[in-house]
Amino acid sequence: MSSKSEFSHGGWRPAPDRFLDIVEQPLYRTLVDLQDLVTTETAAFWSARGVKSLHLPVTTNSISSPMGLGSDSLPVEIDLFGQRTFLADSMQFMLEYGCRLAPDGAWYLMPSFRGEDCDESHLNQFFHSEAELAGGLDDCISVVDAYISSLASSVMERHEGAVGELAGTTAHIEQMLAMDGFPRMTFDEAVAHLGSDSHAVEYHDGWRTLTRHGERRLMEEVSPVLWVTHYDHLSVPFYQAYGDDGRRTALNGDLLFGVGETVGCGERHFDGEQTRRALAHHQVPEESYGWYVQMKERTPMRTSGFGLGVERWFMWVLNQKDIRELQLAPRLNGVALTP
């Protein structure tokens, strides 16, 4: 292993025979059970609400985290038979398109790809449970609360014993299920609560963001499951709707539990004019998003959506500390691995 690979992946790399060693380990047998649970319960949850599953390509020319203000990830660019394209980092744009075909909403559960280095809480390839729905931010938050609670309830019904043995407790799941909705606070309120702690909030040119330390403090001091909403708009991607006329805040929210941000959601711009304004605001060229602007011009629609990082949810359920261990077949950017 080269020093570059060691540095790029934090010194973590699976042993060549890991795929044989984990076959008899209880953790990975339960992980398979939880993977199956997420798939079956997600399908049942959306079917009951008339939200449609879409079959979508994993390549795209319109990444959801472009290299502009508010970008929080690097795209994965590939050459596909001489055509420059990207592996999808999210299906949000296509799910917004899907809402024009399925007015009750659309969902998708497949891998997403990220170009930045992996670490204890970030994967290069992770499963994303995403949905786009008619309505605004409050509507989306209510549905996410129901979805996350539904998954937690299914864990207790189907795998309480195995999860309790591996995690050491199921108290965190029971605590979530005892909540009557998850509490909310705005980003401004969160910053005020965190006070002068210089390690809790990062300040940039015109925008702020929470650190992992800041998220942990909020979960410890306010609630172990907590929504933080209305972030500074320049800290989020351009496609989130504005939360105020001055374009300072966004109609978005992060649901914090476990490792920290585990669900991200937001309301989208209603029409093409608002979208163009946001592209310029975030210094993102319109070229790669022309179709997206055109769609919003032709069919304006108020939608909101979310994405759950499935492996982060596994971390929370199983009380694990390193997300890289929660892969049946790990994938690291720039490293050839088997199987």
Side-chain angles (χ1 to χ4, degrees):
M1 177 168 55
S2 71
S3 60
K4 182 178 187 300
S5 293
E6 290 175 350
F7 176 79
S8 297
H9 303 292
W12 187 92
R13 186 164 173 178
D17 56 353
R18 175 184 182 274
F19 71 101
L20 297 174
D21 291 339
I22 70 172
V23 169
E24 299 298 331
Q25 293 183 22
L27 171 63
Y28 294 96
R29 294 192 170 217
T30 300
L31 181 61
V32 168
D33 288 337
L34 293 175
Q35 289 179 346
D36 179 72
L37 180 149
V38 168
T39 300
T40 56
E41 292 299 322
T42 298
F45 182 88
W46 293 126
S47 179
R49 287 160 174 76
V51 178
K52 306 299 184 183
S53 171
L54 300 188
H55 294 187
L56 299 169
V58 297
T59 56
T60 180
N61 289 329
S62 302
I63 54 174
S64 68
S65 290
M67 294 310 295
L69 298 176
S71 175
D72 62 354
S73 68
L74 297 173
V76 179
E77 183 175 351
I78 62 170
D79 182 289
L80 191 63
F81 300 101
Q83 176 65 46
R84 171 183 171 273
T85 189
F86 299 94
L87 296 176
D89 56 337
S90 167
M91 281 298 163
Q92 179 211 309
F93 292 146
M94 289 298 292
L95 291 173
E96 285 193 60
Y97 173 65
C99 283
R100 272 71 181 176
L101 298 166
D104 288 330
W107 69 275
Y108 180 91
L109 176 60
M110 283 291 286
S112 286
F113 303 83
R114 299 291 168 91
E116 64 269 20
D117 295 337
C118 68
D119 58 27
E120 290 87 350
S121 60
H122 295 85
L123 294 176
N124 295 137
Q125 297 183 31
F126 67 97
F127 266 74
H128 222 168
S129 180
E130 297 183 275
E132 192 75 18
L133 310 164
L137 177 64
D138 290 340
D139 302 307
C140 187
I141 285 177
S142 294
V143 174
V144 171
D145 286 358
Y147 174 57
I148 297 300
S149 296
S150 175
L151 292 178
S153 178
S154 295
V155 169
M156 296 299 288
E157 291 172 3
R158 294 165 56 176
H159 305 297
E160 179 181 1
V163 167
E165 185 170 344
L166 289 166
T169 180
T170 58
H172 55 303
I173 305 175
E174 295 165 13
Q175 185 177 33
M176 173 182 280
L177 291 173
M179 292 182 173
D180 183 16
F182 306 142
R184 294 171 56 170
M185 67 191 315
T186 67
F187 183 84
D188 287 341
E189 290 169 340
V191 171
H193 175 87
L194 294 167
S196 59
D197 186 345
S198 61
H199 300 292
V201 181
E202 289 184 355
Y203 290 83
H204 302 268
D205 185 14
W207 53 278
R208 306 158 296 172
T209 189
L210 295 175
T211 66
R212 186 57 49 80
H213 167 70
E215 291 179 341
R216 281 198 298 266
R217 273 196 56 196
L218 293 173
M219 291 186 291
E220 292 169 359
E221 298 169 16
V222 180
S223 172
V225 187
L226 174 70
W227 282 104
V228 179
T229 67
H230 296 78
Y231 282 66
D232 292 344
H233 204 281
L234 289 180
S235 74
V236 303
F238 76 89
Y239 51 75
Q240 306 287 27
Y242 289 112
D244 62 282
D245 292 338
R247 299 189 301 171
R248 187 181 70 84
T249 63
L251 288 176
N252 80 304
D254 286 346
L255 183 60
L256 312 181
F257 64 98
V259 71
E261 178 205 348
T262 302
V263 179
C265 79
E267 184 172 335
R268 320 307 183 194
H269 299 295
F270 175 73
D271 58 23
E273 179 182 356
Q274 293 175 0
T275 306
R276 279 201 172 95
R277 187 184 182 197
L279 283 164
H281 185 200
H282 284 250
Q283 302 174 18
V284 175
E286 188 178 323
E287 179 182 359
S288 296
Y289 301 92
W291 75 270
Y292 184 65
V293 175
Q294 185 179 20
M295 176 187 73
K296 288 178 176 288
E297 287 179 331
R298 180 75 64 87
T299 56
M301 188 175 183
R302 188 187 187 202
T303 69
S304 57
F306 75 90
L308 163 70
V310 174
E311 285 84 0
R312 286 192 178 181
W313 184 79
F314 292 152
M315 287 182 74
W316 172 75
V317 171
L318 294 170
N319 197 25
Q320 297 293 303
K321 303 305 181 185
D322 195 326
I323 198 170
R324 294 169 295 191
E325 296 292 347
L326 296 177
Q327 304 173 91
L328 299 181
R331 292 294 182 262
L332 302 176
N333 290 345
V335 179
L337 298 169
T338 54

